[in-house]
Amino acid sequence: MYLALLVIFLQCSELHAEGKVFTFNGVEIKVEPHGKVKNGAPMSIICHADISKNSDFQLQYNFTIFKDRKLVFMSISDKEDARYEIPVAKSSDTGDYECRVKADRKLVFSRTIYVWVAGMTKPILTADKKEVLEGEVVKLRCELPEEVPPLEFFFRKIKTNSEPIEKRVAEQNQNFSEMEYFVEAGDNILQFDCFGKRQVRSGWDSSQHSNKTLVTVKEPFIRPTLITRPSNNITEGDQIEFECSTVAAQMRGIEIIFQKNRTILNSVRDKKFLKYSTIATQEDSGEYLCKVEQGAVSKTTKMNVFVSELFPKPTLSASMTKLDESKDLILNCSINSLRRANFSILRKSSSGDILLKKSRVLAIKVNVNDTGSYTCKAEVKGIVKESKPVRISVYAPVSKPTLSVVSGSPEVVLGKPLQLICHSVMGTPPITFTFYKGDEIKKNVTNDTYATFLDEDIGLNDNGGYKCDARNNHSSGVKTSNILNVTVIVPIRDASLGSVPYGEVEVGSDTAFLCSVKEGSWPIDFKFFKKTDREVLLHEVREYSDRTIWHKKTMKRKDTGTYYCMASNRASVDVRSRPITISVILAAWQKGVIAAFVLTAMAGAGAVALWWFLRKKKKAKGPSMEMSGSALAPNLTSEKLTRPPSDGNYYSGSGYIEDNENHMKSTDESKDSVENRHSQRIYGHPDAT
């Protein structure tokens, strides 16, 4: 029975569980109060679950609230709402909020809302000192105790009647920052404050300014006092005295410096005052500065001093500033409206001024070494003033210039530039040189002792007419050089080579080689070469002509080869001809000797053969045949001479001699014809002229 009741209970429970159905319609999140939340006000983040059920039953809800994706609130409740209460909102509570609700394995997310807590808490400022000396450092600390980094801090140094000096510090990991301020001279009472900023989505949020912190500044020493004696109406020659003083709480480390412009005139250490005196001159007019320094503190006092002129600078005048040597020069030193003074005339030198005379006037007879700058000095009541320098130039006359070619030889290759130099041994510089080509001025040059001229327009007819002038400031005037004649060298052009006979030359005969050029200045160097494995120089000669002939005696078979010639002159350009080929052949008589020797050898060989044949036949036929053989011998001999043997190695001697004679004759005639023809070619060909 109990078992039956248990089964019935379980079935009922299962039916009851199967009847609980719900669904999330959505999850909403909102903030109270609505809109922008003020810093310090209470704030609530409310999460609401909108659920539909098939019956009235209880559910457990798990609420979680996130700010900027970080968990800030959790709650488990059977209610459909959860509240995240923030009693005092801070700017750090600004951010993106999101709610998640989980019930019976179902999880739903709300939308994200942005909450802006406007304003920041007021920062707290503290200083490590309330009283400091000039030159010391004040350390400040600014804190935003309820804010969360990153933050930016701004420190301000506030002085009376001046704009605050602001400094910025960014802090990424802490809600406070520190800053040091240097206390300068003149900072009597200082105030400091600070404020903070943080970046939000809409821009920057700023805090209020902190409390103002007051710092009192004390002087380690007072600003220096600068006085002069006499205090006014200072004139050149007066004794002037400066005194610079201060009052300090502690003299150790005190330094007093006295300056004019940037020049330090005097200085003292660990003393309350400084003195400096001098004889006043007009150059002493200007601004003076007294500076007192101790550690990092520096204070200055300035004063302008005017020194009246006792007398003006003297003036040096010269009778002449440019004059010939051996002329008289008078120098006169004077001062306007003042006659009584101690005068001296000096000459300037790199090693120091040279005193010439203690007088107002100096008269000398000058030479070239007196060229230079001269001044005079005047002294009144210990004040010495110097005049402006006067430049005196003494001139020696120029000597007759010499004109020459820079390369040394008075000649130039056609088309090449010609450089001339004009030089005067004597004469005080600067010297002006003028170059002439014919009567035409080509160039003016001012130099010390020489000048050069480059003529790049050289023609075939430019064979002379160069000269130059030289002059300086001497009264003697212009000196002219001798006329320089320059030879224009025409380079070699188009060399050609010919020979007589041309082409073939008999052994033992002579050959004439003719080398000629179309253009070129004389003398001309001719060279004859034969080409072998290397170039062999056969003959060279210098001719005052455009051609030359070289006779080569007794030609040999080894003289067969290729020949060419080369021509050059003072233009230093080698011009090479086209090559010609010479073949050395046997002479006619040599050919006849060879032919006779061959015929004789053939005739002897024929006689021996005939004798051998007859003897053999005689032995075979006996005496009867010998008798008949004597009658037939002429016929057999004639038959043998007129009919060649079957092996083809036999030639008719008479026919060979006749042909050889005809060949030599034709060769001689051909040679004569070739010699005549090539002789005409050498002397009549256009290249040979």
Side-chain angles (χ1 to χ4, degrees):
M1 186 180 75
Y2 290 107
L3 181 61
L5 291 174
L6 179 61
V7 169
I8 293 170
F9 176 77
L10 291 175
Q11 288 179 348
C12 290
S13 299
E14 185 177 351
L15 290 173
H16 178 74
E18 289 177 354
K20 295 180 180 180
V21 178
F22 73 95
T23 183
F24 279 99
N25 297 319
V27 174
E28 296 180 356
I29 187 170
K30 62 181 180 179
V31 61
E32 291 182 355
H34 297 292
K36 184 167 59 175
V37 180
K38 291 184 178 180
N39 188 284
M43 180 179 74
S44 299
I45 306 295
I46 302 171
C47 183
H48 171 70
D50 183 9
I51 296 178
S52 296
K53 304 178 183 177
N54 65 345
S55 63
D56 186 15
F57 59 87
Q58 292 290 328
L59 281 174
Q60 291 290 327
Y61 301 101
N62 190 346
F63 292 93
T64 53
I65 297 176
F66 295 87
K67 173 184 173 289
D68 297 330
R69 291 180 293 183
K70 294 181 180 179
L71 180 65
V72 294
F73 176 78
M74 289 185 64
S75 175
I76 298 175
S77 173
D78 56 0
K79 296 182 180 180
E80 297 177 355
D81 295 294
R83 298 175 67 92
Y84 171 40
E85 301 285 352
I86 302 175
V88 179
K90 303 183 292 295
S91 62
S92 59
D93 295 322
T94 299
D96 291 318
Y97 287 84
E98 180 187 35
C99 177
R100 301 179 187 179
V101 181
K102 184 177 181 181
D104 195 18
R105 294 179 295 180
K106 293 184 179 181
L107 179 65
V108 183
F109 298 85
S110 73
R111 64 183 177 87
T112 300
I113 63 169
Y114 178 70
V115 177
W116 180 20
V117 179
M120 299 174 66
T121 56
K122 185 176 181 179
I124 300 172
L125 179 67
T126 57
D128 65 337
K129 298 175 183 177
K130 295 296 182 180
E131 188 176 274
V132 294
L133 291 173
E134 292 174 334
E136 291 184 344
V137 174
V138 176
K139 187 175 183 179
L140 304 175
R141 175 188 170 98
C142 184
E143 184 177 4
L144 291 164
E146 296 181 358
E147 301 297 337
V148 177
L151 299 167
E152 289 198 1
F153 292 87
F154 294 83
F155 295 85
R156 299 197 310 162
K157 175 184 176 182
I158 305 169
K159 295 175 65 174
T160 306
N161 300 325
S162 63
E163 291 292 326
I165 300 173
E166 188 175 280
K167 294 183 180 181
R168 169 185 167 275
V169 181
E171 296 289 353
Q172 300 294 328
N173 303 310
Q174 57 190 23
N175 63 353
F176 67 91
S177 183
E178 295 180 340
M179 175 62 63
E180 291 183 347
Y181 273 92
F182 174 73
V183 180
E184 301 172 352
D187 291 345
N188 297 324
I189 298 177
L190 296 177
Q191 286 185 330
F192 297 93
D193 69 4
C194 70
F195 64 93
K197 283 187 179 183
R198 68 177 298 135
Q199 192 169 16
V200 295
R201 182 172 298 178
S202 58
W204 288 91
D205 212 354
S206 298
S207 74
Q208 301 177 22
H209 285 251
S210 70
N211 56 296
K212 284 187 170 56
T213 299
L214 185 67
V215 177
T216 304
V217 181
K218 292 184 177 181
E219 290 184 293
F221 56 87
I222 65 172
R223 187 175 300 277
T225 302
L226 179 60
I227 60 174
T228 63
R229 299 184 184 89
S231 59
N232 51 25
N233 297 328
I234 303 172
T235 305
E236 287 182 314
D238 292 346
Q239 180 80 19
I240 181 172
E241 184 179 83
F242 297 88
E243 184 176 302
C244 180
S245 60
T246 186
V247 176
Q250 182 180 358
M251 295 308 301
R252 185 177 180 181
I254 286 284
E255 184 177 15
I256 304 176
I257 300 171
F258 184 60
Q259 294 176 252
K260 181 178 186 291
N261 299 326
R262 292 180 176 271
T263 304
I264 296 177
L265 302 177
N266 196 10
S267 66
V268 295
R269 288 180 180 271
D270 301 332
K271 292 183 178 181
K272 294 182 179 181
F273 66 91
L274 171 151
K275 289 185 178 182
Y276 174 78
S277 63
T278 184
I279 300 296
T281 65
Q282 200 170 15
E283 285 74 18
D284 293 326
S285 296
E287 184 180 75
Y288 290 83
L289 180 143
C290 178
K291 180 186 290 186
V292 180
E293 295 178 345
Q294 187 179 44
V297 183
S298 176
K299 297 182 181 182
T300 60
T301 300
K302 297 180 181 179
M303 174 185 290
N304 282 309
V305 173
F306 177 74
V307 179
S308 301
E309 186 179 61
L310 179 62
F311 64 95
K313 287 184 177 181
T315 301
L316 181 64
S317 59
S319 57
M320 297 179 68
T321 56
K322 295 180 180 180
L323 65 164
D324 298 346
E325 61 180 353
S326 301
K327 296 290 185 179
D328 292 328
L329 172 67
I330 299 175
L331 299 175
N332 191 350
C333 188
S334 60
I335 300 175
N336 291 335
S337 70
L338 184 65
R339 291 186 174 275
R340 301 188 63 180
N342 296 322
F343 293 97
S344 57
I345 298 177
L346 308 96
R347 180 181 173 184
K348 292 295 204 180
S349 172
S350 58
S351 59
D353 295 347
I354 301 172
L355 177 62
L356 300 179
K357 190 177 182 180
K358 290 186 176 182
S359 174
R360 181 194 295 266
V361 179
L362 173 65
I364 57 173
K365 192 177 291 292
V366 296
N367 58 46
V368 175
N369 295 328
D370 292 324
T371 296
S373 295
Y374 293 79
T375 62
C376 74
K377 292 182 179 179
E379 181 183 357
V380 178
K381 293 175 62 176
I383 301 299
V384 179
K385 294 187 178 182
E386 187 175 358
S387 69
K388 291 182 179 180
V390 175
R391 179 72 182 178
I392 303 296
S393 300
V394 182
Y395 293 93
V398 294
S399 60
K400 181 179 179 179
T402 57
L403 181 63
S404 59
V405 180
V406 172
S407 62
S409 178
E411 57 186 26
V412 62
V413 178
L414 181 65
K416 299 292 184 179
L418 173 67
Q419 189 170 26
L420 303 177
I421 181 169
C422 186
H423 176 252
S424 285
V425 178
M426 303 290 293
T428 304
I431 302 173
T432 300
F433 297 91
T434 304
F435 291 89
Y436 296 84
K437 186 176 182 180
D439 294 329
E440 182 183 359
I441 296 177
K442 286 295 184 179
K443 187 179 182 182
N444 284 310
V445 182
T446 300
N447 206 343
D448 288 345
T449 59
Y450 72 93
T452 59
F453 165 61
L454 186 65
D455 189 358
E456 297 180 312
D457 185 22
I458 300 297
L460 189 58
N461 298 321
D462 294 346
N463 289 325
Y466 291 98
K467 65 179 180 179
C468 69
D469 289 345
R471 68 181 182 276
N472 62 358
N473 289 316
H474 194 273
S475 60
S476 60
V478 178
K479 301 292 177 63
T480 304
S481 71
N482 295 330
I483 294 176
L484 175 65
N485 294 316
V486 177
T487 302
V488 179
I489 305 299
V490 179
I492 299 297
R493 185 169 67 88
D494 295 342
S496 62
L497 177 64
S499 68
V500 178
Y502 184 81
E504 292 183 347
V505 181
E506 291 185 352
V507 174
S509 64
D510 298 341
T511 302
F513 291 91
L514 172 64
C515 185
S516 63
V517 298
K518 280 190 176 181
E519 189 177 61
S521 296
W522 302 348
I524 300 175
D525 293 326
F526 294 94
K527 295 180 180 180
F528 294 86
F529 294 88
K530 180 186 177 185
K531 276 188 176 180
T532 56
D533 295 339
R534 56 187 180 86
E535 295 180 344
V536 179
L537 176 63
L538 302 174
H539 178 70
E540 60 180 330
V541 66
R542 174 170 291 183
E543 296 284 359
Y544 286 85
S545 173
D546 60 356
R547 65 190 63 202
T548 187
I549 298 177
W550 170 47
H551 294 276
K552 180 168 176 55
K553 304 290 186 179
T554 315
M555 296 290 285
K556 300 177 182 179
R557 292 295 295 272
K558 66 179 182 179
D559 293 328
T560 296
T562 302
Y563 293 80
Y564 67 90
C565 72
M566 191 179 293
S568 63
N569 61 3
R570 296 195 303 280
S572 300
V573 177
D574 294 331
V575 179
R576 185 170 173 172
S577 71
R578 290 184 178 180
I580 63 172
T581 301
I582 300 296
S583 299
V584 182
I585 61 176
L586 294 176
W589 67 270
Q590 291 176 319
K591 294 179 181 178
V593 170
I594 294 172
F597 176 77
V598 172
L599 289 175
T600 302
M602 292 177 65
V608 171
L610 179 61
W611 174 79
W612 179 81
F613 175 76
L614 291 176
R615 181 170 179 163
K616 183 178 181 182
K617 192 173 182 180
K618 182 178 180 180
K619 288 180 179 181
K621 293 183 179 182
S624 60
M625 289 302 294
E626 291 178 1
M627 291 177 64
S628 62
S630 60
L632 293 173
N635 293 331
L636 290 173
T637 305
S638 176
E639 184 179 359
K640 288 287 185 179
L641 289 173
T642 56
R643 186 176 59 190
S646 60
D647 60 6
N649 292 328
Y650 177 79
Y651 296 93
S652 171
S654 61
Y656 173 83
I657 293 173
E658 182 180 357
D659 291 341
N660 188 43
E661 289 175 354
N662 292 335
H663 174 72
M664 292 175 64
K665 182 178 179 181
S666 63
T667 301
D668 294 339
E669 289 175 356
S670 175
K671 181 179 70 174
D672 294 339
S673 175
V674 169
E675 288 177 352
N676 292 334
R677 185 167 64 253
H678 284 290
S679 176
Q680 293 173 1
R681 182 179 300 173
I682 292 174
Y683 292 101
H685 196 279
D687 292 341
T689 58

